[in-house]
Structure formats: structure tokens, C-alpha cells
Amino acid sequence: MKFTASREALLKPLQAVIGVVERRQTMPILANVLLVAKNNRLSITATDLEVELVASGEADVSSGGEITVPGRKLLDICRALPESSEVAVSLSGDKLGLRSGRSRFTLTTLPAAEFPSVEDIKAGAPIELPQSMLGRLIEKTWFSMAQQDVRYYLNGLLLETGKKQLRAVATDGHRLALAQVQVDGKGLGTTETQVIVPRKGVLELQRLLGGQGDLTLELGQNHIRIQLDGIRFTSKLIDGRFPEYERVIPRDTDNVVTADRELLRGALQRTAILSNEKYRGIRLSVRAGSITLQAHNPEQEEAEEELEVGYTGDELEIGFNVNYLLDALGAIDAEQVTLSVVDGNSSCLLRDPGTDDCKYVVMPMRL
């Protein structure tokens, strides 16, 4: 294997895939990236056995081949080289040599045959949609995913397709976030498909979805694959049944508070300063025209703030984890927000009153 490439042609694909290369590995090969040089292209693959990323760049290939080398060391070398410099790469025995100007580097290698890769994911029809659509769905829901929950199916994001719609749902059992978009792209049939993308894959996707172009989404039995901007993302799916989330969303609620989103968010942030650091509980006392926020902690410190709101329902008191309310308010774009509850012991539904595209449910807590 022998090729030359500009520093940037090496650096860009390396930066795109390096996120899945773990620093501490049980298998040495997973600390490596797979380099494949052929047809004047260099493709770089990284995997942690759950998520696989493949990116490519232009290279002047004089003899093709494939090999694996330590990913982070190769990235550090490319970063440290001067801008626009040329890099000559050649494989000699089990060592990979890099030359650029007066710099020389020799890296250890492992055989490409040992590198685990996913080729055919047995996917259905590919779905085409703008990157911004999927990016928005993830941005509006990812924070409600569970972290290391024994109910493993909660440690990820549900993606649901069908009826010309793409929907994302995340829940950790205490709160739920739902976002949906109408999609006119190819491949979205009428039959509903549900897959659960693991947390690591969701966070990696969030990092990649910054462009303006379209992407191709493929759903297989055990994998999801997305192609965008010369990068191929593949992730295993979580094998499990996601909860029937529709049943959690409150309906027919008579008690609806309408508030200025920024004013409510600011009041919650101030009151939260003196909430219990562990449980983060805050009490909302709602009556006609106003809402009072109260928090206290084991040091006998208290915070209280009153806010004018639109409300004509029953007087009620209800407690919530303030972080969950703040996360939901941070994800809503509108100037106004509605908080709907049935009574003082029921879940709260937060949403933009002008659209049904995003909904946030927060379970109450006893204070």
C-alpha cells in the first residue's frame, strides 16, 4: 500500500470517525482505524462494535491495499503537521511509514482482516430527507433518553416512520419527549416501522448532522445506516420493545397554564438555586392569573417567585423535578408555552400552543 494525500484530505475523514474510537479498549484492534486505499480514494473506518463510521478523502494511490493503525496517534500526527502539507504514506512489512517535509513517523499496524465491519444490513427501501429534519428531531428529544437504565430499551431513541411522517421519542421513565416532522421524501411508506437507536449512536449522529444537504436513511433488522456528506454511519439497534408512549401523554386536560416561555424559564432557574441538590424538587402553586414557584433544601433555605400567567382552572399544587421542566422549556422554540395538567397528582404536558409537532411530558414528584 502506497499513497500520497494532503494533510486536510487525511484530517477531515479522521476527525469525522474518531468519536467512536475508545481510549481504553478490551480489544486492541478497536483502538485502530481501518485504512483502505484504492481508485485514488482513501476510506477510513472506525468502530466500537456498536457504532461504525466510514469517511473518505482524495488520495493519489500508487498501490492499493488495506491496513489498520492506531486512530488517535494518526489523528494527532495529522493535526501537528503544517497546513496544506503533503503526506506520503507507505506500508513496509507490519509498519506504516508517514513522511511529510522533514518529518518521519512509523506506526505499528494490525491486519485489516481482523477489523470488525458491517457491510450488508439487509435494509428496506432507503428514505431520503434533509439533514436538518433529522437533526431537529434529535435535538428536541435526546436529553430525555435514560442513562444506564436496567430497562435497556430506554437507553436510546425511538425512531418511528410511516404515514409520511418521521417521529422521535425518548423517555427515562420520569419524563418523555416527542418530536415529529412531515416528510415528502422517497421511501416513506404507509406501514409503520419502529427502531431504537442506542444512546451512543444518537450522540454521534447529533455531532455529524450539521450540514445543509440531504441524507439517506436505511433501516435494517438489526442496524440503522445513514449516508451524508461522504460519511457512512451504521449503528446496531437496541433489541427491545419501547413503551406505549401514547398512553403517557395527558389528554382532555381542563387545567391549562399559558406563560411566557423565557419569563417562566428564568423564574425556574432562579428558584432552582435553593432546591434540594439531589432531588431538584420545586413546587408550583397555580391559581387564577398567577403561578407561585417555591423551593427549599435541607439547610432550611427557601426561594419563592410569583409569575403572571394565563389560567382560569382549579387551584392546585404540584411538584416537579425542576431540571426536567427546564430541559423541556429549552427545547421549545415558541415565545409562549402551555402547561396542561388534570390535577395535582398527574403528569404535566408542555408544548408550543401553536403546533403539535413537539410534546414534553414530566411526571410529578411528591414534595
Side-chain angles (χ1 to χ4, degrees):
M1 184 166 99
K2 194 173 183 181
F3 65 88
T4 56
S6 69
R7 167 188 176 267
E8 285 67 29
L10 274 171
L11 190 56
K12 192 180 174 189
L14 266 172
Q15 287 173 324
V17 305
I18 205 68
V20 297
V21 178
E22 301 281 358
R23 293 184 187 276
R24 289 186 295 278
Q25 289 292 356
T26 48
M27 294 168 60
I29 193 85
L30 297 182
N32 282 16
V33 292
L34 172 67
L35 305 180
V36 180
K38 64 178 181 184
N39 302 332
N40 285 339
R41 298 289 294 175
L42 173 71
S43 86
I44 304 177
T45 307
T47 185
D48 63 358
L49 297 182
E50 189 175 79
V51 178
E52 177 191 89
L53 285 173
V54 185
S56 60
E58 290 183 4
D60 184 5
V61 180
S62 44
S63 70
E66 54 183 29
I67 197 68
T68 81
V69 292
R72 293 196 178 273
K73 288 177 183 172
L74 182 58
L75 177 68
D76 289 344
I77 288 169
C78 291
R79 276 184 177 150
L81 290 171
E83 281 185 26
S84 305
S85 54
E86 283 286 312
V87 186
V89 181
S90 59
L91 182 65
S92 177
D94 62 352
K95 293 282 195 286
L96 189 77
L98 287 88
R99 287 199 343 253
S100 180
R102 296 185 177 183
S103 305
R104 303 281 185 279
F105 305 93
T106 306
L107 290 172
T108 58
T109 65
L110 287 169
E114 292 179 19
F115 194 81
S117 64
V118 186
E119 284 308 317
D120 182 18
I121 65 165
K122 299 182 173 63
I127 299 163
E128 290 180 22
L129 68 152
Q131 283 188 45
S132 55
M133 272 191 180
L134 186 58
R136 175 181 157 79
L137 287 184
I138 292 173
E139 181 196 335
K140 299 292 181 193
T141 53
W142 72 274
F143 52 84
S144 290
M145 291 186 294
Q147 292 189 55
Q148 298 176 325
D149 197 295
V150 290
R151 297 163 295 179
Y152 57 91
Y153 47 83
L154 298 184
N155 302 320
L157 184 80
L158 177 77
L159 277 184
E160 190 176 87
T161 69
K163 300 175 185 167
K164 296 288 180 188
Q165 203 174 61
L166 186 62
R167 178 181 279 189
V169 186
T171 179
D172 60 8
H174 303 289
R175 50 160 166 193
L176 179 142
L178 179 153
Q180 60 191 23
V181 287
Q182 293 296 124
V183 183
D184 297 323
K186 298 174 190 167
L188 264 185
T190 51
T191 55
E192 286 192 4
T193 306
Q194 284 192 343
V195 298
I196 308 172
V197 185
R199 182 183 181 84
K200 171 123 189 211
V202 172
L203 298 180
E204 202 56 45
L205 255 184
Q206 198 176 19
R207 188 177 70 84
L208 295 172
L209 288 167
Q212 295 299 312
D214 286 359
L215 60 79
T216 305
L217 168 68
E218 295 175 276
L219 301 175
Q221 286 287 302
N222 303 305
H223 294 86
I224 179 174
R225 175 165 285 168
I226 291 171
Q227 311 231 20
L228 70 154
D229 297 341
I231 299 166
R232 191 182 79 187
F233 163 95
T234 310
S235 171
K236 280 186 177 175
L237 297 172
I238 293 176
D239 182 18
R241 188 169 176 78
F242 203 77
E244 291 184 34
Y245 61 86
E246 291 274 11
R247 292 167 57 182
V248 179
I249 300 169
R251 304 193 189 288
D252 306 322
T253 49
D254 297 327
N255 302 313
V256 182
V257 175
T258 304
D260 181 290
R261 185 181 69 91
E262 275 304 322
L263 290 180
L264 178 59
R265 195 177 174 194
L268 284 168
Q269 285 170 332
R270 289 188 292 276
T271 313
I273 294 166
L274 296 184
S275 67
N276 184 310
E277 286 184 16
K278 185 176 180 185
Y279 300 109
R280 305 293 286 160
I282 196 163
R283 179 180 281 108
L284 278 62
S285 303
V286 194
R287 58 187 175 278
S290 76
I291 186 170
T292 303
L293 314 174
Q294 295 170 308
H296 58 83
N297 60 31
E299 287 81 47
Q300 308 298 311
E301 296 167 329
E302 295 182 1
E304 183 174 308
E305 183 144 354
E306 192 170 331
L307 200 65
E308 282 186 23
V309 295
Y311 184 70
T312 54
D314 306 331
E315 281 194 22
L316 55 89
E317 282 196 355
I318 189 165
F320 293 107
N321 179 317
V322 68
N323 289 359
Y324 297 167
L325 293 178
L326 287 170
D327 282 346
L329 289 172
I332 294 170
D333 298 324
E335 288 183 12
Q336 297 282 308
V337 62
T338 60
L339 290 77
S340 312
V341 292
V342 176
D343 55 42
N345 299 310
S346 70
S347 300
C348 175
L349 172 66
L350 294 92
R351 64 183 191 87
D352 168 0
T355 175
D356 257 354
D357 284 352
C358 294
K359 296 176 183 174
Y360 301 93
V361 180
V362 179
M363 300 284 282
M365 65 187 292
R366 288 206 176 105
L367 293 175

